[in-house]
Amino acid sequence: MKVWGFGNFYSNLERASQEGSGFSLSYFALVLASALLATLGLLADSVAVIIGSMCIAPFLGPSRAVSIGAIYKKWKIVAKALIKQLCGLLVIGSTVAFLANVALIRLSPEITVTPEILARTLPTPKDVYFATFIAVLSGFVASFVLVATPKMSLKPYHELPLVHNPRLLDATIGVEIAISLIPPASVVGIALAFGAPDMFLHALALLMINVVGLDITGMIVLRLWGVTSKPLQLEKTINKTIKETINAQVEADAISTKVILHSYEKADIHVTLRAFEAHDHTYRLLAERTSEEVKRKTGVSNSVRIIVTSVSMHESSDYAILVPDVPEYASIEEA
């Protein structure tokens, strides 16, 4: 099973993993806020507040980054994403919970362990099974939506029905992932504040099981859908060949490419460039040359469509040049 027919699909996955593994100020702020809310909800035995903490927990990105990075064998991305996960959960989340609990105990000494805390520190076998199942299901959904609905990412958000909006889907999946992560991470800090090593170890073990379940399940789903490094390298090689060929032939101000793989043997190529001169004959030959170079270097039969915008001070024209793999069907349209 493979995902074919979507522009730069495998390269976009790689970019998503790079973005998901990177740290940002907003990530630290959201982890801090979600951990504080989770701690207050756990100590108050309030399910509503705990759910609120899940709604802002930003752990979808790093979880996906681990899964995609492992599939692509980008071990630097995997390492960065794991550090981001564990740093957010333990260094920030558990520390915030510990400090908040210490402060609250001083203000209100009657604060004690609640049923919500016990469920994550002294779990029954049933609790462990359910927690593991939720983590596995969350990892499945986080990766499944990438391969089952890739077309969503190709449309502007305002053109999509609300239930199909990728931002809404990601937010929903993020809450599901947070169910497995932010409460146990907060309980780790709470247990330390109460001076309960057994509770601490149980909560930490539950958290690690959930992290592993999330990341490995996500990786398995991507692999089952045929996401590997091979189509990624093919997309990259085609994109590199396009840019090298165009830069060697014309003086372009900007080049944007989209490679749509239909198989390992066939692709459609869309190129948009800004050039200082726009002549249909020149760019027809350029499209033919680009198609030939891609075929020669990758063995992929292809059609090339080039849209050229002139940036000359005296004119501004758009050309759409289509060069199929069979040259006699070449045509030109004025955009």
Side-chain angles (χ1 to χ4, degrees):
M1 188 181 298
K2 287 283 184 187
V3 179
W4 301 119
F6 298 97
N8 295 336
F9 174 74
Y10 296 95
S11 300
N12 287 339
L13 282 183
E14 182 185 39
R15 187 175 68 251
S17 69
Q18 292 169 341
E19 293 172 353
S21 64
F23 286 90
S24 66
L25 183 61
S26 62
Y27 176 76
F28 289 114
L30 288 173
V31 172
L32 191 151
S34 62
L36 186 57
L37 276 176
T39 301
L40 295 175
L42 289 162
L43 291 172
D45 203 28
S46 172
V47 175
V49 177
I50 296 172
I51 292 173
S53 72
M54 299 171 189
C55 293
I56 58 173
F59 296 113
L60 175 60
S63 179
R64 277 180 172 170
V66 172
S67 301
I68 297 170
I71 285 291
Y72 284 161
K73 299 179 181 178
K74 304 286 184 179
W75 304 119
K76 185 176 180 180
I77 289 177
V78 173
K80 286 177 63 179
L82 283 172
I83 291 171
K84 184 178 180 179
Q85 276 185 318
L86 297 179
C87 179
L89 291 168
L90 295 176
V91 177
I92 301 175
S94 298
T95 301
V96 167
F98 171 79
L99 295 175
N101 199 22
V102 169
L104 289 170
I105 289 174
R106 289 189 176 184
L107 292 173
S108 181
E110 66 272 12
I111 286 179
T112 186
V113 176
T114 64
E116 285 293 331
I117 296 173
L118 286 175
R120 295 166 177 88
T121 55
L122 297 173
T124 64
K126 183 180 74 172
D127 293 330
V128 175
Y129 296 149
F130 272 111
T132 304
F133 177 75
I134 291 171
V136 169
L137 181 62
S138 300
F140 171 83
V141 174
S143 291
F144 180 75
V145 74
L146 293 175
V147 293
T149 57
K151 193 172 183 179
M152 292 182 185
S153 61
L154 303 181
K155 291 186 177 181
Y157 292 136
H158 66 272
E159 293 182 7
L160 291 163
L162 182 61
V163 295
H164 290 163
N165 193 298
R167 284 178 175 169
L168 180 60
L169 280 174
D170 281 356
T172 305
I173 296 166
V175 173
E176 186 178 2
I177 285 177
I179 293 172
S180 304
L181 300 181
I182 196 63
S186 298
V187 170
V188 168
I190 291 172
L192 282 176
F194 280 128
D198 288 344
M199 293 171 60
F200 164 80
L201 291 175
H202 288 149
L204 183 61
L206 184 62
L207 177 62
M208 292 299 102
I209 289 172
N210 290 343
V211 170
V212 172
L214 275 168
D215 295 346
I216 290 182
T217 304
M219 182 178 64
I220 291 172
V221 170
L222 292 175
R223 187 65 185 85
L224 289 175
W225 254 259
V227 177
T228 64
S229 58
K230 183 178 178 180
L232 172 66
Q233 293 306 319
L234 184 58
E235 277 187 0
K236 285 185 167 183
T237 302
I238 292 174
N239 273 308
K240 182 180 178 182
T241 302
I242 294 167
K243 291 178 180 179
E244 288 177 347
T245 304
I246 291 175
N247 285 326
Q249 301 294 322
V250 298
E251 186 178 1
D253 182 52
I255 302 173
S256 174
T257 62
K258 181 167 70 174
V259 176
I260 305 172
L261 294 176
H262 297 289
S263 68
Y264 287 122
E265 294 79 31
K266 184 179 179 182
D268 290 332
I269 298 169
H270 295 177
V271 182
T272 303
L273 60 90
R274 286 163 53 86
F276 293 98
E277 293 182 356
H279 302 297
D280 58 347
H281 178 69
T282 300
Y283 291 104
R284 182 192 297 275
L285 293 176
L286 179 61
E288 292 174 354
R289 175 65 174 166
T290 301
S291 180
E292 291 169 358
E293 282 296 300
V294 169
K295 175 71 172 179
R296 183 179 69 84
K297 290 189 176 181
T298 66
V300 175
S301 299
N302 63 88
S303 65
V304 176
R305 181 181 179 88
I306 299 182
I307 298 178
V308 186
T309 301
S310 172
V311 293
S312 168
M313 294 177 60
H314 305 292
E315 62 178 354
S316 178
S317 303
D318 287 352
Y319 296 92
I321 299 148
L322 179 64
V323 177
D325 198 45
V326 184
E328 55 264 34
Y329 290 104
S331 63
I332 179 169
E333 307 167 0
E334 187 168 349

